[in-house]
Amino acid sequence: MKTLESKVAVITGAASGIGRGMAEAFATAGMRVVLSDVEETALRSTAAELREGGADVHAVPADVSQAADVAALADSTLGKYGAVHVLCNNAGVHTGSRPSWESTLDDWAWILGVNLMGVVHGINTFLPVMIEQDEDAHIVNTASIAGLLTGGSLYGVTKSAVIALSETVHLEVICGGFKPRISVLCPGVVNTNIFNSQRNRPARFPDAGPFPSGWSVDAARQGFALGLSPRVVGEEVVQAIREERFYILTHPEHAGHIEHRMTQILHGENPTIPPFPDS
């Protein structure tokens, strides 16, 4: 997609963090932006702030783990703007980096429902619309560098699955001769509120596993506060859409760690975790 002016973008998890960064970048590019989030108060506030800056935005609350909510998001988007050209399946949660066997089935159900099934619901709902439009279109699925590295607990599992799904859909649309293109966003540490995901945990998943001993949520938040600006990530996404670039890797310092994992796979070696970069 070389031209983004007046095109319609839909972003889930748009009230804060990377989603908001993408919304700001899209608005600057002249796009009309549909903001969606499960956190309604923050969603309304973000929408109001973007409108004050001159953006054409439309806010739709949705829980992406619920297929009916995503279908309603599509209906509202088409009702408002009549088309959709960019979809960012960005909503995500984090349940804590405890050992996987200490995580509860409620932990698994919640994080899989948002991080993986939210992407599935977005693709199943919006991609047929994009194909039917027969115009240039693009889907960006937010994974994480955790999906390309060894470990990562439940979060890493979901992000690995998002990468695999994105690769699959990329090949399917190319082989099918369809116009939409796909990208998978794999950021490293970004200044977001991901470690405060519990604020949006549904009451239907009350059984939360314990936080690891010695692990501090406050320390994690402080570390992430030093991370890359979400707006910078948003600008990178805009550039990747223009270039039809599949992998969006925002932190080049992780290249050696990805190579380390791939080399171990090719050599049939047991997994190990290399030293992590400071930023």
Side-chain angles (χ1 to χ4, degrees):
M1 293 184 64
K2 304 300 183 184
T3 302
L4 300 182
E5 183 75 29
S6 298
K7 300 297 186 181
V8 178
V10 177
I11 308 169
T12 65
S16 62
I18 291 174
R20 175 163 180 160
M22 289 192 288
E24 292 172 354
F26 289 166
T28 299
M31 301 187 76
R32 296 171 288 174
V33 186
V34 179
L35 311 172
S36 185
D37 205 289
V38 72
E39 196 169 6
E40 294 191 35
T41 300
L43 177 63
R44 288 194 295 270
S45 176
T46 296
E49 290 174 11
L50 290 173
R51 288 192 191 102
E52 288 174 4
D56 184 349
V57 300
H58 177 53
V60 183
D63 177 353
V64 297
S65 71
Q66 304 299 305
D69 278 22
V70 179
L73 171 60
D75 288 343
S76 185
T77 298
L78 296 174
K80 175 70 173 180
Y81 294 121
V84 57
H85 304 98
V86 172
L87 168 66
C88 296
N89 290 310
N90 172 75
V93 297
H94 195 284
T95 58
S97 297
R98 67 185 72 85
S100 57
W101 62 86
E102 292 183 5
S103 297
T104 67
L105 293 181
D106 277 358
D107 290 333
W108 280 103
W110 180 37
I111 198 168
L112 285 167
V114 177
N115 292 9
L116 178 56
M117 292 309 299
V119 178
V120 171
H121 293 152
I123 291 171
N124 281 14
T125 301
F126 283 91
L127 184 52
V129 174
M130 292 175 163
I131 290 172
E132 180 67 23
Q133 287 174 173
D134 197 30
E135 300 179 52
D136 289 340
H138 207 105
I139 294 177
V140 179
N141 297 324
T142 299
S144 167
I145 196 66
L148 293 169
L149 304 181
T150 302
S153 193
L154 277 63
Y155 185 78
V157 169
T158 63
K159 296 306 184 177
S160 295
V162 169
I163 293 170
L165 173 61
S166 302
E167 291 169 336
T168 295
V169 177
H170 166 75
L171 293 175
E172 289 170 342
V173 296
I174 294 294
C175 293
F178 303 117
K179 289 187 177 179
R181 292 294 177 262
I182 313 294
S183 293
V184 61
L185 172 62
C186 301
V189 177
V190 180
N191 183 7
T192 72
N193 207 19
I194 188 69
F195 280 105
N196 193 26
S197 296
Q198 295 294 328
R199 73 193 188 279
N200 292 323
R201 184 167 180 141
R204 65 183 182 275
F205 300 130
D207 186 16
F211 279 101
S213 60
W215 193 83
S216 169
V217 175
D218 288 338
R221 290 173 184 162
Q222 291 170 9
F224 269 66
L226 301 175
L228 192 64
S229 163
R231 177 60 185 270
V232 172
V233 177
E235 296 292 350
E236 182 72 15
V237 169
V238 168
Q239 188 64 24
I241 291 172
R242 293 187 189 278
E243 296 172 358
E244 294 186 358
R245 175 163 30 103
F246 180 81
Y247 295 106
I248 309 175
L249 304 175
T250 62
H251 290 66
E253 62 268 29
H254 289 295
H257 295 81
I258 298 171
E259 183 179 12
H260 172 85
R261 182 192 181 204
M262 294 299 107
T263 299
Q264 288 190 315
I265 291 171
L266 291 173
H267 291 174
E269 299 172 356
N270 292 346
T272 60
I273 300 177
F276 219 69
D278 293 331
S279 60

